[in-house]
Amino acid sequence: MRHLLTVADLGVEEIEGLFDLTDKLKREVEDGIKHPILAGKTLGMIFQKSSTRTRVSFETGTFQLGGHALFLSSNDIQLGRGETVSDTAKTLSRYVDGIMIRTYDHSDVEELAEAGSIPVINGLTDLLHPCQILADLYTIQEKKGNLKGKKLTYIGDGNNIANSLLLGTTKVGMDITICTPAGYEPDSEIIKEAKTQAEMSGSQVEILDDPVVAVEGADAIYTDTWASMGDEAEKAERLKAFEGFQVTTELMNKAKDDVIFLHCLPAYRGQEMTAEVIDGPQSVVFDEAENRMHIQKAIMVKLMEENSQNMQESNEYKQNIS
């Protein structure tokens, strides 16, 4: 595990390993145990898109591990003023031990990883949101005991969340149904990739446009805002297009009796779901939000600690042959 750019890059054993480490780190927080695993290490956090949960969860998580998180908005660094992604990656590689970036173009994340010499974590792009989906899967496992054979239904916009859910669920053997209005489906190439993964894991992928049919047999129902950051100009058009796709108590009742509700936040009560659903007993939304921090701590430990060990082994090798 060199970087985290997409869930598709992870093997099932790597995901299980991340979840096991997340369990351990989460218990230590609850028990007040402090292990400064990342003492002396710095995470550079590039934000070209603002966020409540991404910033606070990464910053607090890094602190809990004994490290330091450095907030870098597009106004603070030259990347926002014309410096190339490659030059930024090479420069930051001399200063910090890892980079988390939340941006628009997925190609920027890929270029950072290719040009730099330190781990890169995709904190969100318009295409994918792997940290969120790992937190989602971890939360479902917490609540349901296991993932394989469970069904997740996503209702709403075929955005980066839908794309990453397709890749994440089929990787671990979950069935997934994506339900969107016509014209708002997930990325077609990602649908193909998810179906290929599903064949390997024994899961199923459905793309539907009827919410009532979509939630049949669902163990978890997931939704997201209908107008993501960058789609604000289309808000009125989207509100009209998504009429009938709101997650209501009536819709939840058509799934399994023990169905849970997820949302990556921020949520807009009265739009993609009712207040009764997100604030009700089936909602695990705030457990899900908390788990962002715990899973990201595990990701940072796996990437930044292992990268440090690899560099140390490389330096020892160079000393031995000099």
Side-chain angles (χ1 to χ4, degrees):
M1 187 173 170
R2 177 75 174 83
H3 304 285
L4 179 61
L5 309 186
T6 168
V7 178
D9 290 341
L10 300 177
V12 176
E13 290 184 0
E14 286 180 301
I15 294 174
E16 291 173 348
L18 276 174
F19 287 178
D20 288 343
L21 180 55
T22 301
D23 282 338
K24 179 177 183 294
L25 295 172
K26 186 173 181 178
R27 285 197 305 271
E28 288 180 351
V29 170
E30 294 168 349
D31 295 339
I33 300 171
K34 295 182 179 179
H35 284 160
I37 304 169
L38 298 184
K41 298 189 183 301
T42 299
L43 176 72
M45 306 189 303
I46 300 174
F47 281 85
Q48 294 185 311
K49 279 189 172 185
S50 60
S51 170
T52 300
R53 277 149 293 276
T54 300
R55 178 175 180 180
V56 177
S57 59
F58 268 108
E59 199 160 321
T60 304
T62 307
F63 175 78
Q64 289 180 359
L65 293 170
H68 175 67
L70 187 62
F71 176 75
L72 303 168
S73 76
S74 55
N75 295 324
D76 297 324
I77 58 176
Q78 297 302 322
L79 184 60
R81 299 181 176 87
E83 184 173 56
T84 66
V85 173
S86 177
D87 286 353
T88 298
K90 291 173 183 176
T91 301
L92 290 179
S93 293
R94 304 295 182 99
Y95 297 147
V96 301
D97 303 283
I99 298 171
M100 186 287 298
I101 179 169
R102 182 178 170 94
T103 188
Y104 293 89
D105 294 331
H106 190 73
S107 60
D108 288 349
V109 179
E110 294 175 327
E111 189 175 351
L112 267 179
E114 183 177 351
S117 58
I118 55 177
V120 173
I121 300 170
N122 176 4
L124 173 144
T125 66
D126 285 347
L127 184 67
L128 297 171
H129 198 350
C131 292
Q132 178 65 56
I133 268 53
L134 287 169
D136 299 335
L137 296 178
Y138 177 78
T139 303
I140 295 169
Q141 180 171 285
E142 269 192 325
K143 304 301 179 182
K144 298 295 182 179
N146 60 78
L147 295 174
K148 192 169 181 62
K150 295 292 188 292
K151 176 182 174 179
L152 183 145
T153 296
Y154 174 88
I155 300 174
D157 185 25
N159 57 15
N160 48 12
I161 292 293
N163 289 335
S164 287
L165 282 172
L166 280 164
L167 297 174
T169 53
T170 55
K171 179 72 71 169
V172 300
M174 290 183 71
D175 296 335
I176 183 165
T177 298
I178 301 288
C179 183
T180 71
Y184 292 92
E185 296 86 357
D187 183 87
S188 59
E189 290 302 313
I190 287 179
I191 293 174
K192 290 180 184 177
E193 186 175 358
K195 287 182 176 179
T196 299
Q197 288 187 172
E199 290 177 2
M200 298 175 63
S201 67
S203 57
Q204 296 182 350
V205 175
E206 288 185 307
I207 308 297
L208 303 177
D209 60 6
D210 185 337
V212 174
V213 175
V215 300
E216 291 179 3
D219 297 282
I221 295 176
Y222 197 129
T223 191
D224 188 15
T225 177
W226 292 339
S228 300
M229 193 177 298
D231 296 327
E232 291 86 354
E234 304 173 10
K235 186 173 182 179
E237 177 185 343
R238 284 171 170 266
L239 287 175
K240 184 176 181 180
F242 284 90
E243 287 179 4
F245 285 79
Q246 184 184 72
V247 179
T248 62
T249 300
E250 291 74 23
L251 191 63
M252 295 286 292
N253 288 341
K254 295 184 184 301
K256 287 186 176 179
D257 291 340
D258 61 349
V259 66
I260 57 176
F261 175 75
L262 297 100
H263 193 303
C264 57
L265 302 176
Y268 299 90
R269 290 161 173 79
Q271 291 186 24
E272 66 265 20
M273 84 278 112
T274 62
E276 187 179 17
V277 169
I278 192 172
D279 297 325
Q282 294 166 305
S283 175
V284 298
V285 166
F286 296 103
D287 291 333
E288 177 189 6
E290 177 189 341
N291 285 335
R292 277 284 302 278
M293 181 179 72
H294 301 303
I295 194 77
Q296 288 164 187
K297 287 171 66 177
I299 291 166
M300 288 189 288
V301 169
K302 285 286 187 181
L303 291 178
M304 293 167 69
E305 186 185 38
E306 290 182 5
N307 183 63
S308 177
Q309 291 173 350
N310 291 338
M311 289 179 67
Q312 182 178 353
E313 291 170 2
S314 176
N315 289 336
E316 290 173 354
Y317 172 76
K318 289 176 183 177
Q319 289 175 359
N320 288 335
I321 64 173
S322 61

